[in-house]
Amino acid sequence: PSPTPSPAPAAVAGPRTGRLRWRAQLEYIGAGPVAGPDLVYVGDLRTVRALDVGTGEPRWSTPGDGEFRAALALDGATLVAANADGHVYALDAATGDLRWRRRVGDFTDTDPVVAGGGVYALGVPADDSSDTGDVVALDAGTGSRRWTRTVPVRRRNPVHVSGDTVLVSTADALLALDARSGSQRWSGALPEPGPAAAAAGTAYCGDATGAVHAFDLATGAALWTAGASPDELRGPPWLDAGPGRIYFCDGTGNLVMVDLAGRSVGWQVAAGASSPPVVRDGRAVVAGYHVVHAVDAVSGRPQWRFDAADAPADPLDGGGYFDERPRPAVTDDSVYFADADGAFFALDVAGGDAQAPG
């Protein structure tokens, strides 16, 4: 089917301001955050740090040989981190003690995924001109290598694991690999696909044209295509399979909700987004450089926004590029967010009572 035209995005302007719970000053947070019951974890340049969720006080720190630049993965009592030194680290989540460290390439800065007793990561050679990378499956308990699959990559997109299938977005296709062996199951040609997500037997992927594609997860058969944005869809989407919605951020920072049943855009908001979205308890949260926005996940109506104290007047004048900021971590009561200047914030997930400016 032809892509459906997308509506113009609505502006985000309140109606309430976010409420700060605490703030910690670090150096530069390029990895995480991810939150557990008692600790929240971030990668701060060459160090993984654990902070108290209630106060922001430091609890432990563990150094790496390179910078931590990818999202952290918390799997029970184990914290998994990818390091630019080309290794995946598994740490004790309570103490920071190193459990194992395994090489996956010369360099890695993509989000590791823990699923089904395995850790899946992407390692690339030191020579960027090679345009290839290795999808590596490790044993989650020991770090021993299960298999390696070399794939063509232009962007170092994270993999996605759904059941016994590993989805890998390569230079010009979405690949499905067997999670046990790494063998290829199918390939769907796409123009510069972004990271994928899957549930209930269907895989979804955005691309450089702003379209969303749906594939049968078992066979790779193309099911449908819908237009979501005039700009490319970048960063990992958030799939809320129960109500049938998927959330993307596009190349201009719009937060986009696509209704899967209707195969059309439900809403767009101009959030100036520089991080992938998180959806929890009917609330979509996205970070835009120095600003955090929370909107109603069904309607897109703004709930609250938080402007970091040192944010510039124009949010586009600070921070990194769109895909360089970590995704916020959202729990039952808090939102954890890092700005580009190393400030780490814990916000009340419900927001404050005061009227937001703008």
Side-chain angles (χ1 to χ4, degrees):
S2 299
T4 304
S6 55
V12 174
R16 291 175 287 130
T17 186
R19 187 173 73 86
L20 180 66
R21 298 182 62 203
W22 52 258
R23 169 179 171 160
Q25 186 62 45
L26 304 177
E27 292 185 80
Y28 181 85
I29 299 172
V34 63
D38 303 308
L39 300 173
V40 59
Y41 309 90
V42 295
D44 185 22
L45 290 179
R46 291 173 173 260
T47 305
V48 175
R49 302 189 188 277
L51 311 178
D52 186 280
V53 294
T55 65
E57 292 296 319
R59 290 293 176 258
W60 58 255
S61 62
T62 299
D65 290 339
E67 293 184 11
F68 293 94
R69 299 184 179 180
L72 306 177
L74 183 62
D75 182 45
T78 303
L79 183 70
V80 178
N83 190 280
D85 67 5
H87 290 76
V88 173
Y89 292 62
L91 308 177
D92 185 293
T95 65
D97 292 341
L98 181 66
R99 292 185 168 174
W100 52 259
R101 175 177 176 266
R102 294 292 181 271
R103 181 181 176 86
V104 296
D106 296 331
F107 181 87
T108 182
D109 63 352
T110 56
D111 307 347
V113 176
V114 184
V119 175
Y120 302 86
L122 179 68
V124 297
D127 182 5
D128 285 340
S129 65
S130 64
D131 288 335
T132 62
D134 289 335
V135 181
V136 179
L138 306 173
D139 183 274
T142 66
S144 61
R145 187 177 294 234
R146 292 178 171 177
W147 53 259
T148 300
R149 178 86 184 189
T150 301
V151 298
V153 292
R154 287 185 189 141
R155 293 178 180 157
R156 292 187 279 269
N157 289 321
V159 303
H160 177 82
V161 181
S162 179
D164 62 355
T165 303
V166 180
L167 296 173
V168 186
S169 297
T170 68
D172 55 7
L174 178 64
L175 299 183
L177 308 179
D178 186 286
R180 295 177 295 265
S181 66
S183 60
Q184 181 174 315
R185 290 180 170 174
W186 53 262
S187 173
L190 293 176
E192 296 186 41
T202 304
Y204 304 94
C205 187
D207 69 19
T209 71
V212 180
H213 305 268
F215 296 89
D216 185 283
L217 184 61
T219 67
L223 301 178
W224 53 264
T225 296
S229 170
D231 297 286
E232 62 180 322
L233 301 177
R234 302 177 64 179
W238 189 279
L239 177 59
D240 199 356
R245 295 187 288 265
I246 191 168
Y247 302 79
F248 294 88
C249 289
D250 69 14
T252 57
N254 296 323
L255 174 59
V256 184
M257 185 273 278
V258 175
D259 180 270
L260 299 179
R263 303 175 186 178
S264 61
V265 173
W267 48 259
Q268 292 190 34
V269 293
S274 59
S275 79
V278 179
V279 180
R280 186 178 177 122
D281 296 333
R283 180 182 291 109
V285 179
V286 67
Y289 296 103
H290 294 277
V291 182
V292 181
H293 298 286
V295 304
D296 185 278
V298 179
S299 67
R301 182 181 61 85
Q303 294 182 346
W304 55 261
R305 74 178 189 186
F306 175 83
D307 296 288
D310 55 352
D314 180 357
L316 299 181
D317 288 341
Y321 295 102
F322 173 88
D323 58 355
E324 290 187 351
R325 302 307 310 140
R327 169 183 260 160
V330 183
T331 66
D332 289 340
D333 58 7
S334 300
V335 175
Y336 300 96
F337 161 72
D339 75 8
D341 298 320
F344 187 55
F345 303 90
L347 313 177
D348 188 317
V349 74
D353 297 324
Q355 184 77 16

